[in-house]
Amino acid sequence: MREVTVRKGEPIDRALKRLKTKLDVEGILDEMRRRRAFETPMDERRRKARSASKRNKVKWRYSNKSEETASETAETPASAPED
């Protein structure tokens, strides 16, 4: 069970926002919404494909960025003579 302690002098609204953020990061709210109604097998495949696509985009972006920095350092000519 997730909990957030309200600090001294902290508004309740801010504590609720922290709780909601924590639940959202952990995916508990999405899971709860999904279980509220029946999900057909086709809908489940679509949802999983969308999340996999997002995951792969982020993974590709960060892996591609590290390759670019490595290729930039390798492509710089080493003291080429000028005419």
Side-chain angles (χ1 to χ4, degrees):
M1 184 164 174
R2 306 294 171 234
E3 64 181 33
V4 172
T5 56
V6 181
R7 299 177 187 132
K8 186 176 182 181
E10 180 183 25
I12 298 295
D13 295 340
R14 188 167 295 157
L16 283 173
K17 181 157 178 70
R18 282 193 300 128
L19 176 64
K20 188 175 179 185
T21 303
K22 184 183 272 191
L23 293 175
D24 195 31
V25 166
E26 294 177 3
I28 294 173
L29 290 177
D30 292 333
E31 181 80 18
M32 187 179 68
R33 287 185 193 112
R34 250 195 10 252
R35 290 180 184 226
R36 191 176 297 168
F38 177 73
E39 184 178 30
T40 63
M42 187 63 194
D43 289 339
E44 184 179 359
R45 275 182 265 158
R46 284 184 189 139
R47 176 179 50 82
K48 287 184 178 181
R50 278 194 305 261
S51 65
S53 174
K54 287 179 185 178
R55 224 180 10 255
N56 289 336
K57 283 179 188 176
V58 170
K59 196 181 287 187
W60 181 82
R61 189 171 77 207
Y62 287 114
S63 68
N64 199 16
K65 196 178 263 189
S66 64
E67 289 174 7
E68 285 177 2
T69 56
S71 65
E72 286 175 1
T73 56
E75 290 178 6
T76 53
S79 64
E82 292 185 24
D83 291 320

